[in-house]
Amino acid sequence: MGILASHNDDNLKSDSSLGFGVLPDALVFGQSEVMRAVRQKVEKVAGANVPVLIRGESGTGKEVIARLIHARSPWGSGPFVKVNCPAIPGTLVESELFGYQQGAFTGAHGTKPGRVEMAKHGTLFLDEIAELEPGLQAKLLQLLQDGQFCPVGGQEDKQIDARVVCATNRNLEDEIRKGSFRQDLLYRINVVSIHMPTLRERAADIPLMCDSLRQRYSERFGRVARPFSARKLEMLQRYHWPGNIRELEI
């Protein structure tokens, strides 16, 4: 039940919900009560060098909040490096995260830094962390415990110099009971937890979101879109939005 046409643009800073670069607070947090707690958590945690776990259904804007935490932190001038865990084949995740040395494996003709090293003086964002296989979970746990990592094929450890923010749409406690997620890793990444409410829970923000999206697409495509009628907005607020903000956007 999308209200806007989907789009592709390599110049957008993010492929996340409402991903039009830096968003104003009024649009990110809206006016709903449930987002007030999110705002307070973001304000408190932004300046602290502790791992943050952002939970919530797909499409609720977890990456938007991760980027906001980064932008308002002492590491905001550094890079924001995203790792989309489910999008990287299992055989490549380790080298993508930690990099590799020349000759580490067939085809490793040179040395390549991993995402951890690329995030130096910035933020490492691990999106959908529950998708990591157990072996990589153990190495990530060691990284968070010791603050060090070793590239594939390397002989010396390197020091991590980045803030770590993780996100998941799964119930990690359930994944622990199933044996697919490490309990000790949850302890490490869940120092501060931020829960992103569904769009159903923040329906009061839909008119603001719709108006902002209408204006932004009007500017983008050079066409003036008419405001939504009160009847249409009421219909949108009653809809259950299984895809959350991402569904509203498209």
Side-chain angles (χ1 to χ4, degrees):
M1 188 177 173
I3 61 171
L4 296 167
S6 60
H7 62 278
N8 293 292
D9 191 336
D10 293 337
N11 294 321
L12 293 182
K13 292 186 178 181
S14 166
D15 61 358
S16 59
S17 303
L18 301 179
F20 293 88
V22 178
L23 299 174
D25 277 14
L27 182 56
V28 173
F29 298 109
Q31 302 171 335
S32 58
E33 290 290 331
V34 291
M35 287 301 291
R36 185 172 300 174
V38 175
R39 180 198 287 267
Q40 292 173 347
K41 280 270 185 88
V42 168
E43 291 173 349
K44 287 181 179 179
V45 79
N49 188 13
V50 295
V52 179
L53 177 61
I54 306 174
R55 303 180 184 232
E57 292 183 7
S58 294
T60 50
K62 296 186 292 294
E63 184 180 339
V64 171
I65 295 300
R67 289 181 179 273
L68 189 61
I69 291 172
H70 167 72
R72 297 186 176 182
S73 75
W75 306 272
S77 59
F80 179 92
V81 178
K82 176 184 176 181
V83 180
N84 188 2
C85 297
I88 304 175
T91 55
L92 299 178
V93 174
E94 183 175 4
S95 59
E96 282 292 323
L97 273 178
F98 304 114
Y100 57 81
Q101 297 294 313
Q102 184 175 359
F105 49 82
T106 302
H109 301 301
T111 297
K112 178 184 176 182
R115 305 289 179 91
V116 173
E117 191 170 354
M118 291 167 61
K120 185 176 182 180
H121 302 317
T123 298
L124 178 68
F125 177 52
L126 301 174
D127 195 18
E128 301 306 341
I129 191 172
E131 302 289 341
L132 282 181
E133 61 182 32
L136 264 296
Q137 291 180 28
K139 293 188 177 183
L140 179 59
L141 175 64
Q142 184 178 6
L143 173 72
L144 295 174
Q145 284 179 334
D146 304 334
Q148 296 180 329
F149 66 97
C150 185
V152 178
Q155 301 298 320
E156 296 182 359
D157 287 339
K158 296 186 177 183
Q159 195 77 22
I160 182 175
D161 187 12
R163 186 202 197 129
V164 177
V165 178
C166 303
T168 182
N169 62 9
R170 295 192 187 183
N171 185 316
L172 294 183
E173 288 76 12
D174 284 347
E175 298 302 316
I176 290 171
R177 285 189 285 272
K178 294 175 187 175
S180 60
F181 198 80
R182 296 179 63 105
Q183 187 172 37
D184 46 5
L185 179 56
L186 177 59
Y187 293 152
R188 284 289 173 178
I189 65 175
N190 197 33
V191 176
V192 175
S193 179
I194 297 177
H195 172 72
M196 292 300 297
T198 64
L199 190 54
R200 302 181 294 279
E201 296 174 284
R202 52 180 306 201
D205 296 329
I206 288 177
L208 176 63
M209 292 178 179
C210 288
D211 191 56
S212 179
L213 287 167
R214 178 185 63 81
Q215 293 180 38
R216 288 169 184 266
Y217 276 107
S218 293
E219 294 171 3
R220 180 176 180 76
F221 296 111
R223 299 179 65 181
V224 178
R226 291 179 297 175
F228 292 95
S229 67
R231 179 175 174 273
K232 287 181 179 179
L233 287 174
E234 184 180 352
M235 290 175 60
L236 292 173
Q237 288 178 294
R238 290 201 307 264
Y239 181 60
H240 62 288
W241 296 108
N244 293 295
I245 302 174
R246 188 176 294 124
E247 183 181 1
L248 175 70
E249 182 184 6
I250 62 175

